[in-house]
Amino acid sequence: MGRKIGYARTSTTHQQQGLDAQVQELKEAGCEEVFSEKVSSTTTLDQRHQLRACLSVLRKGDLLCVAKLDRLGRSQVEVINRLNDLQQQGIHVKTLDGLIDTQALGKMAPLVVGLLTGLSEVERSLIQERSRESVEHRRRTGGNLGGRPKTTGKKESLVLRLRKEGESYRSIKEQTGLALATITRIIKEA
């Protein structure tokens, strides 16, 4: 019986709790070593340093554990290819969400993995499509498209007055709560 090695990934630094939770779950699942990183799901393998390190320590008979299958690649093709490569090396893959366990699936693993990742990619595509439709609807109806709200005329006047009084940009920032870039823009436009 080989070792259990874990890999955890979240997309942003704002998801630190999610990363910590994944690492904890992997340790509770019996992983003796867990590699973790915060990188976008669109980041290529050469920029996923911890995934590369994880893959480099795996040996025949080992079990790679991940929270979800999409942690292993950027697309359905990449995930399937990675799973295939790992199977060719005699390395098994198991997800904590229970979707896949290539050791238990045996020869059926490639078929099942292909179906699961295909469904995952369809779901991601539907989410993107709904997001685009929502933005288009908000554009047509004049709804809020997000982003920072415009500064008020009152705040702009305050920025200009403070600057005329000789206040530094940093001082204006502290007094108004506006970003330095916004303060600079207001002053340049005036």
Side-chain angles (χ1 to χ4, degrees), residues 68 122 128:
K68 293 193 275 182
V122 168
Q128 290 171 340

Side-chain angles (χ1 to χ4, degrees), residues 118-135:
L119 290 172
S120 176
E121 194 154 292
V122 168
E123 180 184 4
R124 191 175 317 121
S125 171
L126 290 172
I127 289 169
Q128 290 171 340
E129 184 179 331
R130 285 192 298 267
S131 295
R132 280 192 301 273
E133 289 172 356
S134 174
V135 168

Side-chain angles (χ1 to χ4, degrees), residues 156-184:
E156 288 183 11
S157 297
L158 176 60
V159 166
L160 294 172
R161 183 176 58 83
L162 291 170
R163 187 64 184 155
K164 268 187 184 172
E165 292 173 2
E167 295 287 338
S168 70
Y169 282 55
R170 294 224 184 271
S171 173
I172 296 170
K173 177 185 178 210
E174 290 170 7
Q175 294 180 51
T176 62
L178 295 173
L180 287 174
T182 303
I183 294 166
T184 304

Side-chain angles (χ1 to χ4, degrees), residues 8-10 15-23 36-38:
R9 179 194 62 77
T10 57
Q15 296 175 321
Q16 181 62 46
Q17 288 177 326
L19 186 61
D20 292 342
Q22 281 183 52
V23 170
S36 65
E37 61 191 337
K38 289 176 256 177

